[in-house]
Amino acid sequence: VDLMQPGPEDVICDPSAGSCGFLVGCAEYMREHHQKEFFKAGFEQYFSNDMFMGMEFDPTMIRIGAMNMILHGIEEPVLKDVDALSDANSGFTEQATLIMANPPFTGSLDKDAVDKEILRVVDSKKTELLFLALILNGLKKGGRAAVIIPDGVLFGSSKAHKQIREELVDKH
């Protein structure tokens, strides 16, 4: 969070929110580094209702994440009960100015369950590559992301690994 320096104009997203640790960390950063913003008309409302969004498919984690956010002053957390990689989340395009995530990267998915827009970016079943493609789709122009990924994403030799690197270098 310190590295990314979230600002008062950001729309911050974690597409694999879990307990919402990144979102809460960003909220704490805002309170510590942008205290004056909270005195401006409308900012508290924006902070509490619109600045943060998360996605999670585990109902228990949604409850834990929502409680965590509420306890940290985000009164109306936007937590979508959705598998971030599925067609049900196909509207997640150019919505966030800052994405922070620690997505799952231990498995692979059935391609039929993955949003086709994500597969256009990277043709893979590997979750780490699919989440990275989702994140790139979800960023607004000029947006930025901090994502925890295995080193294989940067150095893997498969066609999909090369495809995601080309996307990063050529378009981002």
Side-chain angles (χ1 to χ4, degrees), residues 14-66:
D14 184 345
S16 54
S19 65
C20 296
F22 276 133
L23 298 176
V24 166
C26 288
E28 290 173 342
Y29 184 94
M30 293 298 298
R31 291 199 185 279
E32 182 180 336
H33 292 89
H34 299 286
Q35 296 170 356
K36 292 180 182 178
E37 295 296 324
F38 289 88
F39 296 106
K40 293 181 179 177
F43 183 76
E44 184 71 45
Q45 176 76 14
Y46 175 68
F47 178 85
S48 294
N49 298 301
D50 300 314
M51 179 176 261
F52 305 96
M53 75 172 86
M55 297 162 211
E56 183 58 55
F57 69 92
D58 181 338
T60 301
M61 292 311 296
I62 290 172
R63 287 192 300 275
I64 291 169

Side-chain angles (χ1 to χ4, degrees), residues 2-131:
D2 287 338
L3 179 69
M4 297 309 292
Q5 300 177 350
E9 68 289 340
D10 277 320
V11 175
I12 304 166
C13 178
D14 184 345
S16 54
S19 65
C20 296
F22 276 133
L23 298 176
V24 166
C26 288
E28 290 173 342
Y29 184 94
M30 293 298 298
R31 291 199 185 279
E32 182 180 336
H33 292 89
H34 299 286
Q35 296 170 356
K36 292 180 182 178
E37 295 296 324
F38 289 88
F39 296 106
K40 293 181 179 177
F43 183 76
E44 184 71 45
Q45 176 76 14
Y46 175 68
F47 178 85
S48 294
N49 298 301
D50 300 314
M51 179 176 261
F52 305 96
M53 75 172 86
M55 297 162 211
E56 183 58 55
F57 69 92
D58 181 338
T60 301
M61 292 311 296
I62 290 172
R63 287 192 300 275
I64 291 169
M67 183 61 69
N68 196 10
M69 291 176 75
I70 290 167
L71 288 171
H72 287 87
I74 304 163
E75 296 172 8
E76 298 282 336
V78 177
L79 291 174
K80 297 179 183 178
D81 181 5
V82 66
D83 178 346
L85 298 174
S86 72
D87 284 328
N89 195 36
S90 63
F92 183 63
T93 56
E94 297 184 29
Q95 291 188 19
T97 60
L98 174 59
I99 298 178
M100 299 189 65
N102 182 10
F105 48 80
T106 58
S108 60
L109 300 175
D110 178 10
K111 279 189 186 179
D112 293 336
V114 178
D115 178 18
K116 305 305 177 247
E117 288 302 313
I118 295 171
L119 292 174
R120 284 190 183 117
V121 176
V122 63
D123 186 16
S124 179
K125 296 190 289 185
K126 292 187 163 290
T127 56
E128 63 268 25
L129 301 178
L130 295 170
F131 263 99

